[in-house]
Amino acid sequence: MIKHQFYMKRVLELAQLAAKEDEVPVGALIIDEFGNIIAEAINSREKNHDPLGHAELTAIRLASKNIKNWRLEKCTMYVSLEPCPMCLGAMREARIEKLIFGAYDLKGGALSLGHRLHQDPRLNHRFAVMGGILQSESANLLGHFFRLKRRA
């Protein structure tokens, strides 16, 4: 659990960077089997005018490029917010081994909405998921960001 908290603290730092850039504060990173960070990313939808500018997708692209392989089979993704269905599907396509996330997203999170792409026996890849790591810190960051947005 301490290992997960270590990486989640970095993910929260990334999320704070996203907030400073007026992006929804979501950060993501991917580690290899030895615990080396091979990619870090933040949301970039607003900056790049890109509906696919989710931190998770950017992290997958960077990690694949850095290891020169689209298969991230022995890699773990850490993300501050429960991934949406698109991002969970991308993790499956990238062969992520494990997903660790912070806050649950009851309105847009794949798991909260009942999408179990990571466990579907009909699909060719399944992976482990653990949520709620530094959940309150992640949720507080998001809550603060949206409170400020509503005031503006």
Side-chain angles (χ1 to χ4, degrees):
M1 190 61 82
I2 291 172
K3 174 180 117 174
H4 295 321
Q5 290 177 354
F6 172 80
Y7 291 113
M8 284 301 296
K9 286 179 183 176
R10 176 60 185 149
V11 163
L12 289 171
E13 291 171 1
L14 293 167
Q16 289 172 345
L17 290 174
K20 287 179 184 174
E21 294 187 17
D22 205 29
E23 296 283 351
V24 173
V26 176
L29 66 79
I30 298 176
I31 62 169
D32 65 15
E33 64 188 300
F34 306 108
N36 300 310
I37 296 173
I38 58 171
E40 294 184 330
I42 63 173
N43 272 1
S44 61
R45 292 171 64 172
E46 302 300 328
K47 176 182 173 184
N48 295 330
H49 313 288
D50 180 4
L52 305 179
H54 292 212
E56 300 95 323
L57 297 181
T58 302
I60 288 170
R61 284 187 197 106
L62 290 171
S64 297
K65 186 175 181 179
N66 288 341
I67 68 167
K68 296 176 177 37
N69 191 339
W70 65 267
R71 291 176 187 88
L72 303 175
E73 292 172 326
K74 295 182 179 180
C75 296
T76 300
M77 175 174 286
Y78 288 85
V79 63
S80 56
L81 181 64
E82 176 186 354
C84 70
M86 173 180 66
C87 290
L88 194 69
M91 289 175 211
R92 187 189 63 78
E93 289 295 324
R95 310 300 194 262
I96 290 286
E97 184 174 290
K98 191 181 304 177
L99 162 66
I100 311 294
F101 68 88
Y104 286 86
D105 183 356
L106 301 179
K107 295 180 181 179
L111 304 171
S112 292
L113 295 173
H115 299 286
R116 303 283 184 223
L117 295 171
H118 66 293
Q119 294 176 329
D120 192 328
R122 298 169 296 176
L123 299 173
N124 63 343
H125 178 70
R126 286 169 290 288
F127 57 97
V129 172
M130 180 187 301
I133 306 298
L134 299 184
Q135 179 175 346
S136 61
E137 292 90 333
S138 296
N140 289 340
L141 182 60
L142 286 155
H144 177 72
F145 176 82
F146 285 113
R147 278 192 299 282
L148 291 176
K149 282 295 201 188
R150 283 191 287 274
R151 287 186 203 152

